[in-house]
Amino acid sequence: MKVITRIAPDVGWLPVSFVNVYFLGQPGGPWVLLDAGLPGRAHQISEAAEARFGAGARPEAIILSHGHFDHAGSAQALAEKWDVPIYAHRLELPYLTGESAYPPPDPTIGGAIAFLSRFMPSKPYDFGDRIRELQPGNLPGLADWEWRPTPGHSPGHISLFRPSDRVLLAGDAFATMDMDSWSGLVTGKRVLARGGAPFNCDWDATRASVMQLAELEPNVVGCGHGIPLSEGELPARLRRFAARFHAPRSGRYVEAPARTDEHGVVSVPPAPFDPVPFATAASLLLVGIALGSGILDEEHQR
Ligand SMILES: [Zn+2]
Ligand SMILES: [Zn+2]
């Protein structure tokens, strides 16, 4: 069993495959789960929670940085198991109540995660009456934490910050691993990088969010992807990263963002030409023809 690692007082980190969840609060006291990992991981997360907080432990609430499938995948199962509400930003609710799908990812910006985004689930979740809207200035169960809107990666993306010791949990506002390169994905080498770039549906907002977070000068940073960072140089490093942060040269949401409101997607820029599905379809067709005509069987018999 994977155990929760402490990254700051009362802040626990658990990687669930390639995405992170965080446990905020003290064993014995109230606690909160930030993000709920991939689908099918409820057991892994609740088992780790019991190891940290005791048998039968349940949080005050589940808070979502945003509703992408790798952050909200096990939210419903955990909310049912624990009988707790799920909180998200108002502008994220359409994608968590089945009202709208997210703006489609843009695989044409290039890189590893962009390639993989073609095969990721895009159906919205419907958490029904479990879902609640986060209220300004209030985080359920977390007196010493603040949340702030950090849109761009998704319309209602939020980050959590604890001013007393400057701990920042930034979801996919950025990442502490390079998800754009295959080696970065595999090795998980710790670098400041853009988070889930093919999903960023508003690049100006993404950049503004990164700038805003850098101004917090955090001592500890835990993102949705990558190993959390804590070092003396971190505030300066994050400032340099924010100053250099830019949109890709071209891409679906580079010239104009997806337009969204409290009901979800209003309009998106037209889909750019994406050659890969055609290549994939063409090769599948060829394999199909080969199988249908018995070529492969003959090859095999020879
Ligand atoms: Zn995301
Ligand atoms: Zn993510």
Side-chain angles (χ1 to χ4, degrees):
M1 185 186 92
K2 265 209 183 124
V3 293
I4 296 169
T5 306
R6 177 185 174 282
I7 61 164
D10 308 335
V11 182
W13 159 60
L14 180 73
V16 178
S17 181
F18 70 96
V19 63
N20 298 324
V21 304
Y22 294 92
F23 299 80
L24 313 183
Q26 224 173 30
W31 60 281
V32 158
L33 178 71
L34 172 65
D35 284 347
L38 294 159
R41 299 305 185 107
H43 182 70
Q44 184 187 344
I45 294 168
S46 65
E47 204 179 42
E50 293 209 353
R52 181 177 173 88
F53 297 99
R58 48 191 284 272
E60 302 300 300
I62 298 168
I63 296 173
L64 298 179
S65 63
H66 64 304
H68 285 155
F69 80 102
D70 51 333
H71 298 253
S74 290
Q76 173 108 48
L78 287 168
E80 301 290 335
K81 181 186 167 77
W82 289 330
D83 190 22
V84 296
I86 304 166
Y87 285 87
H89 187 277
R90 182 174 59 92
L91 292 176
E92 208 67 8
L93 298 187
Y95 319 103
L96 299 169
T97 54
E99 194 178 2
S100 173
Y102 278 105
D106 176 12
T108 68
I109 61 164
I113 200 72
F115 178 84
L116 294 173
S117 72
R118 295 187 179 93
F119 312 105
M120 292 176 180
S122 59
K123 245 186 84 178
Y125 288 113
D126 183 0
F127 296 151
D129 56 6
R130 291 274 168 200
I131 195 79
R132 306 268 192 289
E133 179 187 333
L134 269 175
Q135 298 300 321
N138 181 36
L139 270 175
L142 296 173
D144 48 350
W145 287 82
E146 299 170 355
W147 69 265
R148 37 195 86 211
T150 44
H153 176 72
S154 74
H157 187 284
I158 62 153
S159 299
L160 265 52
F161 184 63
R162 186 167 64 187
S164 58
D165 56 355
R166 316 192 86 74
V167 179
L168 171 66
L169 301 175
D172 284 356
F174 61 97
T176 55
M177 66 186 282
D178 181 3
M179 302 168 79
D180 296 322
S181 86
W182 291 102
S183 68
L185 266 189
V186 173
T187 63
K189 187 172 167 250
R190 284 196 261 192
V191 289
L192 295 175
R194 35 190 215 185
F199 298 93
N200 293 353
C201 58
D202 183 336
W203 280 95
D204 285 346
T206 303
R207 182 165 183 276
S209 292
V210 171
M211 300 285 279
Q212 184 207 144
L213 294 175
E215 275 162 25
L216 296 174
E217 308 210 305
N219 293 322
V220 178
V221 168
C223 292
H225 303 276
I227 300 166
L229 284 175
S230 130
E231 45 156 291
E233 289 296 296
L234 188 54
R237 244 180 103 185
L238 188 56
R239 273 188 183 279
R240 284 198 298 275
F241 170 72
R244 284 196 315 263
F245 191 94
H246 59 87
R249 208 165 295 163
S250 65
R252 184 169 192 170
Y253 305 108
V254 171
E255 299 282 310
R259 285 183 50 234
T260 60
D261 65 13
E262 65 272 23
H263 298 294
V265 172
V266 176
S267 68
V268 290
F273 175 67
D274 180 12
V276 168
F278 292 106
T280 311
S283 48
L284 286 176
L285 188 68
L286 284 175
V287 170
I289 291 169
L291 285 174
S293 63
I295 292 171
L296 293 181
D297 292 344
E298 280 171 31
E299 291 282 327
H300 191 72
Q301 284 158 12
R302 244 175 244 162

